[in-house]
Amino acid sequence: MAKKQKRYAFLINLERCIGCNACTVSCKSFYDLHPSINRRFVRETSELLTGTPKRNYISTSCNHCDRPACATACPTGAYIKLDNGIVKHNQDRCIGCRMCATACPYGVPQFDPVKKKMDKCDMCVDRLEAGEQPICVVSCPLEAIAIVDLNEIDESQVVADLPGFADSSITGSSTRFILPKGTTVVRGGIKSWNTL
Amino acid sequence: MSKVSRRTFLKGSAVLGALAGIGGTASSFKKIKPAKAAGKKKQVFSSCPRNCYDTCSIVTTVEDGTIKFVTGNMNNTYTNGRLCVKGYTYPNYVYSPDRIKYPMRQKERGSGKWERISWDEAYDIIAKKILEIKKEYGTTLPIALNKYSGNFNVLNNAVEGMLSSWGYTTRAQGTPCWPAGIDSQTFDFGAAVANDPEVMVKAKYLIVWGANPAWTSVHSMSIIERAKENGTKIVVIDPIMTDTASKADEYIGIKASTDGALALGMAKYILDHNLHDMEWMKKNSIGYEEYLNYLRNNITVEWASEKTGVPVEVIERLAREYAAAKPAAIWLGYGLQRHTNGGASVRAIDALAAMTGNIGVAGGGANYAQTECYGFNYAVQSAGTPPEGDKAGGDRMLNMNNFPAQVLAINNDPEQIPIKMLWVACRNPIAQDPEASVSYKAFESIDFIVTADLWFNETVKQSDIVLPVSSIFETWGLTASYWHYWVNVNEPAIEPLYESKSDLEIAMGISKRLNELEPGSCTYPTDRSIEEWISNELADDFIKKFGFKTWRDILEKGTAKVEGYEAAWSDGKFRTPSGKYEFLSETCAANGHHALPVYVEEMEVPKDRPIRLFSPHWKYGLHSQFQNLEWMRSIHNEPFVEIHPALAKKKGIEDGDMVRVESEVGYVEVKAKITHTVPKDAVVIYEAWYKEQNFNANFLLKATPSDMGSYATGQAGLAFHDQFVTVEKI
């Protein structure tokens, strides 16, 4: 029997993510990106994500969607969805029209002001093919980012949607998250803290 | 201010100097041999020299003489092959267009009118000024040094050696970081010696007390996450719900500066319920009876609750859980001792760990810091000894934590030898010293200011001469940590950029010129290569600890660990006068404090400025470094003040509004960020240097001393977190 095709996706463990942007900067460094370009994005999200207020973040990159809006919008066919799930952007075909950036519900593709072309994460496909993990995965000091195979993962342990993150059903975002756990908060004897 | 002999200074500065270290990743970044013939790609070991718990060992990839990438060294199990966000910016740091490229002279301070000069000119101007001062005053005491933690590479201690080689000088002594707690642990244990943080995973219960490793020690945060996944209960005690607190099982939002009361309240409950370790105390300590009597007669859990704002039942439960968990660890952060009673708080927490027998246990401990890895010779420092005939007879010590005011006091007093020249290295004092407005006045009162730096920061802008310093990637270095137990070597990765030089090269260059102008006027050696200097730093007995035959053996892995600290103090040999853990410390009493770890009242909140200001470390910077870099600016580039919604509502402030925060000594205008994670009666502004932005948190800070610090570090610390302000919408 043929080996089942992998569907690569990012799994972000938000219980471990400290919102530090080490992923963003190591990626920028490794690929020598224009300083204004980030292939990863770390955003603060609702302090009430787990009930009691605390600092929460979402770290994402390109979500390598099943139905990539960038590919649909692109007039030159610069985006392709690979069999392994990765949405790859071909800069040689890109004319820098930014239609993809407008179409992407996550605002992922960014304009490189020097190359005059768009830029986005390709999940370090060359590294994956060489048996190595993406740079953000190996750089995260908290080991909060992993690559998973969506055909293998137990979907009951992860979520695809979070407040502040566009509905995954729009384009079939492949990114999965492990939700942060709640923290018991004792604060100045105020028990109704989260009602403030 | 005091005069101390050369000998005392060296002893003191040894302590200060000591302040100064997916599977696939291993293979992809394993060091390849620097192939001279086989290609133009090489990897070398670098060492981050910043003032940081984590003091990382770095692998630097160089192609065609250009740094392409940096990452963590897998050989160092603490660094674990990964860096923090700041570390990953190093290629941007090295090649930033903002770097100072040449020696320059400013026509008028603050004017920005810099003219390029040659190194020969710079050395000549500086050497002539030194000789002129020496001739006029018969001593070099009018020359002051303000240097600290911007670069903890041991070779940078050449700056202290350089000044000594001119004569006796005036020094900014002490440390803003941790002095009160260092004193406390010195009184209690005889020295601060923490357990190896890599064994923190063995704790069954971990209290992170006043530390925020999610921002300031990400590798320890990784260890904490691993411990949590193994079932360790993580409790964070902090007035701010930090990112570390946000990862805890339980967060205790304590009223600031009352940490000692919580520790004493817990200890009282433990004593009342016979959960203490009497056997440990009898065997290992002195003064325990007096301590236990103090708890019996003076402390109640209700009192502790009143003080701390933590409910009685929570204090009781914390006490039960902490006493029952074996082992239980406490990590004491530097934040909790930055108060007028901070040293006393640390002693109370130490006592809690000791009375439960958690000292000398792997996975236990009252872990604050350690200086056991600083086995260097400090040859770069001791190479400089004052030439004959300096009439001062000793250096003049000023408190680094109140340096500007003390400079002004001297320069306004005709009875004292004035400060005519200032040398700044490894530091940005205008950004980092309290009372920034006083800093500007102090700088104005000094005739001649030389700053050696990489960036045109606020201090450089107020200098006459700036000397371009090379980054660590352009020179040799050795760095030890004050937290983990690794020592890292730093090999040059690339040639020095532009005309930059290391501080050590500058010391030698000035010495050469001084002796040309006036033979014998400077004792600093000028004939050693940097590699010779580094070999001098690794003493024979030190390298034996690592099983090395020569110092070069460290180049094999780039890093070496000092073993034997899984359970600090497990031998029961404390370095106190009694040789025991001292619940009752005569040394502490002799230094003007209580002999017992009693509660010292916190500073009263002033009625006209009822809002407490915290100005802790920022995650995208280390003090005044990193936030200025382009890569960092692409992520974040706007200072802000965190305000609780309740306070914001009271003041009519909405998220994003500009607000004016005003203290007794100054004000800042900054954007409001509304968040539930700060107390209702406090605001938080993270200290950082933003490039070309008119922002400096230290305009708000008053130089209020902390209770302790002068015993072990020479000078009292600074009550950074006992600062009070008003906040109004602009």
Side-chain angles (χ1 to χ4, degrees):
Chain A
M1 202 174 105
K3 205 171 168 187
K4 201 174 176 189
Q5 175 62 49
K6 285 187 191 308
R7 287 169 64 214
Y8 288 128
F10 282 110
L11 174 65
I12 314 297
N13 186 345
L14 297 178
E15 176 62 7
R16 275 179 168 260
C17 176
I18 51 171
C20 74
N21 268 300
C23 49
T24 313
V25 174
S26 59
C27 168
K28 194 193 291 267
S29 174
F30 191 80
Y31 290 106
D32 201 16
L33 301 179
H34 186 275
S36 68
I37 290 187
N38 294 322
R39 287 187 185 171
R40 286 206 74 88
F41 315 92
V42 179
R43 279 161 300 188
E44 291 175 15
T45 184
S46 168
E47 291 183 345
L48 302 171
L49 191 64
T50 62
T52 50
K54 61 177 185 172
R55 297 177 193 235
N56 293 311
Y57 303 91
I58 310 178
S59 165
T60 54
S61 60
C62 171
N63 297 301
H64 300 281
C65 304
D66 289 341
R67 299 175 300 282
C70 53
T72 311
C74 179
T76 65
Y79 288 93
I80 47 165
K81 175 85 176 168
L82 303 178
D83 291 343
N84 60 12
I86 295 172
V87 175
K88 195 163 161 44
H89 175 239
N90 182 352
Q91 265 192 350
D92 291 342
R93 297 187 76 144
C94 178
I95 55 169
C97 70
R98 311 188 203 205
M99 295 290 281
C100 52
T102 311
C104 174
Y106 306 97
V108 164
Q110 295 195 345
F111 183 71
D112 184 322
V114 173
K115 293 180 182 163
K116 311 282 184 202
K117 288 167 188 289
M118 304 309 288
D119 185 285
K120 76 159 198 79
C121 159
D122 67 359
M123 211 187 268
C124 294
V125 63
D126 294 344
R127 289 176 60 88
L128 281 174
E129 282 170 359
E132 291 180 321
Q133 294 288 310
I135 281 298
C136 57
V137 175
V138 298
S139 298
C140 173
L142 271 290
E143 302 177 51
I145 309 174
I147 300 296
V148 291
D149 180 354
L150 286 184
N151 288 327
E152 301 288 329
I153 193 172
D154 178 357
E155 290 275 3
S156 71
Q157 301 300 306
V158 298
V159 298
D161 286 294
L162 284 169
F165 184 73
D167 191 329
S168 68
S169 68
I170 304 169
T171 54
S173 161
S174 73
T175 303
R176 297 294 184 265
F177 303 97
I178 296 172
L179 284 174
K181 296 188 186 94
T183 296
T184 304
V185 174
V186 178
R187 188 142 209 185
I190 303 165
K191 282 164 194 157
S192 57
W193 174 253
N194 54 2
T195 62
L196 271 172
Chain B
M1 282 166 254
S2 57
K3 283 190 181 179
V4 297
S5 70
R6 169 84 195 140
R7 195 177 177 79
T8 319
F9 171 69
L10 263 180
K11 192 178 153 216
S13 62
V15 176
L16 296 182
L19 315 177
I22 244 174
T25 58
S27 60
S28 53
F29 295 115
K30 205 167 81 183
K31 192 181 178 189
I32 55 170
K33 281 283 166 198
K36 285 193 179 87
K40 289 174 180 169
K41 185 170 175 172
K42 66 171 183 177
Q43 287 183 315
V44 300
F45 292 119
S46 311
S47 175
C48 186
R50 311 275 89 96
N51 180 352
C52 176
Y53 283 105
D54 286 17
T55 305
C56 288
S57 179
I58 295 173
V59 177
T60 302
T61 304
V62 182
E63 277 177 46
D64 297 325
T66 303
I67 294 169
K68 290 293 178 189
F69 193 61
V70 295
T71 193
N73 179 3
M74 288 296 282
N75 296 324
N76 180 314
T77 52
Y78 182 84
T79 300
N80 190 30
R82 291 150 195 267
L83 301 176
C84 75
V85 63
K86 304 179 286 287
Y88 288 122
T89 63
Y90 272 130
N92 190 224
Y93 177 103
V94 172
Y95 297 109
S96 169
D98 298 342
R99 268 185 68 173
I100 297 167
K101 301 177 177 66
Y102 320 104
M104 295 184 112
R105 177 165 53 190
Q106 190 169 219
K107 289 207 168 129
E108 187 193 337
R109 283 188 209 156
S111 69
K113 289 178 184 160
W114 291 95
E115 58 170 7
R116 182 178 172 180
I117 55 175
S118 69
W119 272 104
D120 283 345
E121 281 176 279
Y123 287 146
D124 192 64
I125 296 165
I126 294 163
K128 281 179 178 157
K129 186 73 186 178
I130 295 166
L131 293 174
E132 183 191 306
I133 286 170
K134 206 167 161 179
K135 196 172 168 193
E136 187 179 346
Y137 294 94
T139 168
T140 47
L141 215 56
I143 304 173
L145 172 65
N146 195 324
K147 175 203 172 238
Y148 191 46
S149 71
N151 187 332
F152 271 157
N153 175 0
V154 68
L155 294 190
N156 283 58
N157 289 27
V159 180
E160 285 88 342
M162 171 181 79
L163 266 86
S164 292
S165 73
W166 304 340
Y168 293 109
T169 55
T170 302
R171 306 292 179 98
Q173 185 196 31
T175 154
C177 309
W178 60 0
I182 291 286
D183 265 15
S184 312
Q185 293 227 314
T186 305
F187 297 138
D188 295 341
F189 298 92
V193 187
N195 287 1
D196 179 349
E198 293 177 66
V199 298
M200 207 153 46
V201 282
K202 292 189 181 174
K204 295 275 195 301
Y205 197 86
L206 170 63
I207 300 178
V208 181
W209 204 322
N212 184 14
W215 284 16
T216 61
S217 179
V218 293
H219 299 83
S220 284
M221 197 62 205
S222 182
I223 294 166
I224 290 171
E225 284 296 327
R226 213 179 318 142
K228 192 169 75 179
E229 286 162 6
N230 287 345
T232 304
K233 179 166 180 179
I234 313 293
V235 177
V236 173
I237 301 171
D238 202 302
I240 304 169
M241 188 165 203
T242 60
D243 265 314
T244 305
S246 299
K247 300 297 181 199
D249 293 296
E250 183 161 2
Y251 163 60
I252 310 293
I254 191 170
K255 195 177 141 209
S257 198
T258 66
D259 307 274
L262 181 56
L264 291 165
M266 287 169 68
K268 177 65 177 356
Y269 181 90
I270 288 166
L271 172 64
D272 286 349
H273 294 78
N274 206 27
L275 301 170
H276 55 298
D277 190 338
M278 203 62 203
E279 198 183 326
W280 188 92
M281 284 190 273
K282 278 181 182 162
K283 188 173 168 222
N284 294 293
S285 75
I286 63 162
Y288 57 91
E289 284 296 356
E290 291 88 340
Y291 166 66
L292 297 178
N293 280 332
Y294 170 75
L295 293 177
R296 283 183 194 108
N297 300 329
N298 296 276
I299 302 297
T300 65
V301 177
E302 289 72 20
W303 165 84
S305 174
E306 185 72 19
K307 274 282 169 199
T308 59
V310 182
V312 168
E313 63 274 19
V314 174
I315 299 178
E316 291 177 345
R317 179 171 51 76
L318 284 177
R320 272 196 308 275
E321 289 175 359
Y322 175 72
K326 301 282 178 196
I330 298 174
W331 178 349
L332 296 98
Y334 305 143
L336 79 93
Q337 50 97 52
R338 289 174 181 157
H339 290 286
T340 56
N341 64 353
S345 292
V346 171
R347 289 201 71 209
I349 296 169
D350 287 349
L352 173 66
M355 63 106 68
T356 49
N358 273 308
I359 302 301
V361 182
N367 305 294
Y368 183 68
Q370 59 89 9
T371 55
E372 306 292 291
C373 290
Y374 291 84
F376 305 125
N377 279 334
Y378 296 98
V380 286
Q381 185 170 343
S382 55
T385 50
E388 295 290 308
D390 189 314
K391 71 173 191 188
D395 290 323
R396 174 170 57 184
M397 296 302 180
L398 309 187
N399 187 349
M400 181 180 287
N401 296 319
N402 199 15
F403 181 80
Q406 294 192 351
V407 167
L408 277 179
I410 289 171
N411 283 353
N412 290 332
D413 178 358
E415 300 295 307
Q416 295 199 54
I417 298 174
I419 291 166
K420 307 294 283 185
M421 172 177 165
L422 174 65
W423 189 283
V424 181
C426 304
R427 196 153 194 261
N428 180 358
I430 292 187
Q432 296 309 130
D433 281 346
E435 303 184 19
S437 55
V438 181
S439 287
Y440 283 97
K441 287 180 197 146
F443 271 56
E444 272 171 35
S445 79
I446 300 170
D447 286 353
F448 183 63
I449 299 171
V450 181
T451 299
D453 209 300
L454 286 83
W455 316 101
F456 284 102
N457 58 38
E458 296 308 315
T459 300
V460 171
K461 285 177 185 167
Q462 299 306 319
S463 304
D464 299 295
I465 301 270
V466 64
L467 303 176
V469 174
S470 39
S471 77
I472 47 155
F473 298 92
E474 298 150 51
T475 187
W476 282 92
L478 274 174
T479 319
S481 164
Y482 47 75
W483 181 237
H484 63 68
Y485 280 86
W486 292 85
V487 176
N488 304 326
V489 71
N490 182 81
E491 306 167 84
I494 55 171
E495 293 294 315
L497 291 183
Y498 320 111
E499 290 187 4
S500 68
K501 292 181 190 294
S502 69
D503 285 306
L504 172 55
E505 289 170 301
I506 294 169
M508 294 194 288
I510 288 179
S511 181
K512 190 160 165 275
R513 185 63 189 139
L514 276 169
N515 283 311
E516 282 165 5
L517 291 168
E518 191 182 305
S521 62
C522 181
T523 62
Y524 209 75
T526 57
D527 55 350
R528 294 182 201 169
S529 72
I530 304 296
E531 228 178 307
E532 278 173 75
W533 280 110
I534 208 152
S535 69
N536 289 340
E537 289 303 340
L538 286 167
D540 287 346
D541 57 339
F542 190 43
I543 63 172
K544 265 185 211 153
K545 278 190 187 178
F546 306 120
F548 292 165
K549 289 195 179 72
T550 92
W551 76 271
R552 291 192 153 273
D553 291 348
I554 196 172
L555 296 170
E556 185 65 27
K557 291 185 169 172
T559 185
K561 189 171 185 178
V562 179
E563 297 289 351
Y565 290 92
E566 280 215 349
W569 309 114
S570 56
D571 59 2
K573 290 176 187 161
F574 295 90
R575 299 179 203 167
T576 53
S578 66
K580 303 270 188 189
Y581 179 91
E582 297 195 353
F583 285 101
L584 189 151
S585 165
E586 294 294 354
T587 316
C588 189
N591 278 274
H593 314 294
H594 297 273
L596 287 170
V598 304
Y599 190 69
V600 172
E601 288 297 320
E602 66 276 18
M603 188 172 165
E604 206 173 316
V605 179
K607 285 193 175 60
D608 54 342
R609 281 182 302 280
I611 302 165
R612 186 182 294 268
L613 167 73
F614 294 102
S615 56
H617 291 204
W618 173 229
K619 65 175 167 176
Y620 299 133
L622 211 167
H623 299 308
S624 64
Q625 303 194 76
F626 296 106
Q627 177 58 70
N628 59 306
L629 300 173
E630 199 172 12
W631 288 2
M632 226 50 124
R633 300 201 308 266
S634 79
I635 296 168
H636 167 92
N637 196 27
E638 192 169 37
F640 59 94
V641 54
E642 291 180 334
I643 305 176
H644 190 274
L647 178 59
K649 195 177 171 193
K650 209 168 140 190
K651 298 281 178 184
I653 297 166
E654 289 181 25
D655 196 70
D657 283 349
M658 287 299 288
V659 297
R660 182 183 167 102
V661 181
E662 188 164 345
S663 75
E664 190 185 339
V665 297
Y667 71 93
V668 299
E669 292 177 350
V670 68
K671 197 176 252 189
K673 181 177 176 179
I674 312 295
T675 170
H676 289 89
T677 58
V678 299
K680 278 182 281 188
D681 58 354
V683 293
V684 184
I685 300 179
Y686 299 101
E687 49 109 357
W689 172 55
Y690 288 82
K691 187 193 166 194
E692 287 160 8
Q693 291 194 44
N694 183 23
F695 168 78
N696 181 351
N698 282 312
F699 275 110
L700 294 169
L701 265 78
K702 202 180 167 192
T704 305
S706 61
D707 53 347
M708 294 183 193
S710 52
Y711 177 64
T713 73
Q715 303 284 350
L718 190 50
F720 284 100
H721 301 323
D722 289 331
Q723 308 287 336
F724 299 92
V725 295
T726 55
V727 180
E728 300 299 336
K729 185 177 170 177
I730 297 174

